[in-house]
Amino acid sequence: FGTNAAGTTGGGIHLEPTGGCTVERCRFYGNTAVDSGGGAFVGDGGSLAESETPPIILNCSFSGNVVSGEDGTGGGATLLPGLDFIGKPPVLIARGGLFGCTIVNNSAANGSGVSGGIDGPKLDYFAISVINCIVFDNVGAYTGGPYLEPNWYYCCTAFLNPSESSKALSIRYEPRFVDQLGEDATAGTGDEDLSLTPGSGCIDAGYTYPPETSEYNGDFDLAGSTRVLDDPLSGDTGFGGPPVVDIGAYEFLIGGFNDFDICWWTGLG
């Protein structure tokens, strides 16, 4: 979904299903919205039946999307989770989130713990979950607007301080993309290559779901490669496995060196 525009929410797509839904293996780039969800606006915040899958954004990328409104939120994506009651006495929780996504170079006035990357609705108990995601180089306030901080786990984010990052089992390193801006050096034009270079701290660093919940890893990454692959040159710093899933929308493919077995990363672009 590229270079689309919306007058209110969801520049790339606006999806408010009755119940749950999954948006999987999609690219959102260069889209604009005025109020919320520059790339995507997913979910309606309604109640879920026991058997319904919550709203999920899985193995997607968001680059160069913009929310232009003065109080806008979620430059990359806005997700409203399904609401459910669990336990005795029942407690209201939020079900849904972003899994295995790459969210870079988006912008909005307000985010939810990220610079215009993603946001979730304010609830009494829990916000959305953000797991195995790269959220980097977005522009806008880290907090603000009508949203709580998401629950971060096994992510690559620069805005968390070292203590917060450790608590969230996340890393703060540069993700080291192959080409974050593309040949034209401009985010959101569709020529970005957000796959990982050898030596990235995101390789084998995610949360690997057990077989009974492996749908939260997905069978394939955004490029169509098998979702969980092992890199023998990277330590398994994540959870589960082996093999251990990578953080972000792309699994690292072994063999990313040149003929001299040398690889170097030159920074942004």
Side-chain angles (χ1 to χ4, degrees):
F1 299 86
T3 63
N4 302 289
T8 54
T9 59
I13 60 170
H14 182 119
L15 182 61
E16 290 191 43
T18 301
C21 65
T22 299
V23 178
E24 183 173 2
R25 296 181 57 215
C26 295
R27 296 175 63 218
F28 298 88
Y29 60 90
N31 302 289
T32 60
V34 175
D35 296 329
S36 189
F41 187 101
V42 176
D44 65 356
S47 299
L48 290 173
E50 183 176 352
S51 60
E52 284 182 320
T53 300
I56 291 171
I57 300 177
L58 175 66
N59 295 341
C60 294
S61 69
F62 298 84
S63 175
N65 301 286
V66 175
V67 173
S68 61
E70 182 177 352
D71 297 318
T73 56
T78 296
L79 186 141
L80 304 183
L83 306 183
D84 202 356
F85 287 93
I86 64 169
K88 293 182 180 181
V91 176
L92 179 67
I93 68 166
R95 292 174 56 206
L98 288 88
F99 302 85
C101 291
T102 298
I103 304 166
V104 296
N105 297 116
N106 305 284
S107 65
N110 299 293
S112 178
V114 63
S115 302
I118 54 177
D119 55 23
K122 180 179 289 186
L123 297 174
D124 292 335
Y125 296 97
F126 297 103
I128 61 172
S129 297
V130 182
I131 301 175
N132 295 343
C133 291
I134 298 172
V135 185
F136 233 84
D137 291 331
N138 299 287
V139 178
Y142 292 157
T143 58
Y147 298 104
L148 284 176
E149 181 85 5
N151 297 309
W152 302 93
Y153 297 105
Y154 290 92
C155 289
C156 177
T157 60
F159 67 90
L160 294 174
N161 64 44
S163 175
E164 292 171 331
S165 182
S166 177
K167 182 179 179 181
L169 303 171
S170 297
I171 60 176
R172 304 177 70 247
Y173 319 125
E174 285 277 356
R176 298 192 177 189
F177 299 117
V178 170
D179 196 345
Q180 184 170 338
L181 299 179
E183 292 186 4
D184 60 5
T186 303
T189 58
D191 65 346
E192 303 83 10
D193 186 346
L194 300 179
S195 57
L196 303 173
T197 60
S200 169
C202 297
I203 299 172
D204 295 349
Y207 183 95
T208 310
Y209 283 87
E212 59 270 21
T213 54
S214 62
E215 67 270 16
Y216 291 111
N217 288 141
D219 294 327
F220 303 99
D221 72 358
L222 184 52
S225 301
T226 299
R227 190 35 168 151
V228 185
L229 298 172
D230 181 57
D231 175 18
L233 299 181
S234 295
D236 292 343
T237 59
F239 176 85
V244 177
V245 72
D246 296 347
I247 296 174
Y250 295 92
E251 281 287 305
F252 173 70
L253 299 180
I254 302 167
F257 292 88
N258 60 20
D259 293 339
F260 300 99
D261 290 332
I262 296 173
C263 179
W264 61 91
W265 178 72
T266 58
L268 181 64

